[in-house]
């Protein structure tokens, strides 16, 4: 778990550091435009999906923090964070609560997938590997390579599909 966590944060951190200069450059070139009254607007995610996403982020970060505190309980930084949280017993309780929350979210997510399949009457292959899939595909690998080239000034900004590779990650 430590390797997975450290690897995830390192890769995400590097990606963000490469993305930031390009993002600021794009923002300067294309400043935000105020919405025009009466103009059609789109909601990318329904409210329930936004709540699920926020819950997943909070539970993941809580699991990461409390898990690292418990795993490295013999270190000074872990003792300090544990003291702030109320001690190691409380850290363990918070960790288990976040795990229950994450598992509950997983069950709700599976229920939404099954409901969506029933509503759309698609095959599992179409649902999981179609153009709007959240599964990694070869296109994501290509977009990643093109994005890295764009970050370092070796190519144009790629055109992404419905979901980018970092959203899927």
């Amino acid at each position: 778990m430590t390797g997975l966590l450290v690897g995830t944060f390192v890769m995400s951190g590097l990606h963000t550091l490469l993305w930031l200069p390009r993002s600021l450059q794009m923002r300067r070139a294309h400043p935000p435009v105020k919405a025009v009254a009466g103009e059609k607007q789109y909601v990318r995610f329904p409210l329930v999906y936004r709540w699920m996403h926020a819950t997943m982020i909070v539970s993941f970060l809580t699991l990461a923090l409390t898990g690292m505190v418990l795993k490295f309980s013999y270190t000074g930084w872990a003792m300090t964070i544990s003291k702030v949280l109320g001690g190691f017993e409380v850290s363990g309780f918070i960790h288990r609560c976040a795990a229950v929350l994450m598992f509950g979210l997983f069950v709700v997510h599976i229920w939404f997938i099954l409901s969506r399949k029933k509503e759309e009457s698609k095959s599992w292959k179409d649902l999981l590997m179609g153009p709007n899939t959240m599964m990694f595909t070869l296109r994501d690998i290509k977009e990643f390579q093109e994005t890295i080239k764009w970050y370092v000034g070796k190519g144009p900004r790629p055109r992404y599909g419905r979901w980018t590779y970092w959203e899927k990650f």
Side-chain angles (χ1 to χ4, degrees), residues 35-47:
V36 178
E39 186 177 272
K40 189 172 185 175
Q41 296 185 14
Y42 297 91
V43 175
R44 187 159 188 200
F45 295 111
L47 183 61

Side-chain angles (χ1 to χ4, degrees), residues 62-75 77-79 81-82 85 87-96:
T62 302
L63 284 165
L65 176 69
T66 56
M68 295 299 272
V69 163
L70 293 169
K71 182 174 173 77
F72 297 105
S73 60
Y74 53 89
T75 64
W77 65 266
M79 289 180 198
I81 293 173
S82 177
L85 294 175
F88 286 109
E89 285 185 22
V90 175
S91 297
F93 178 76
I94 293 169
H95 188 78
R96 289 186 294 278

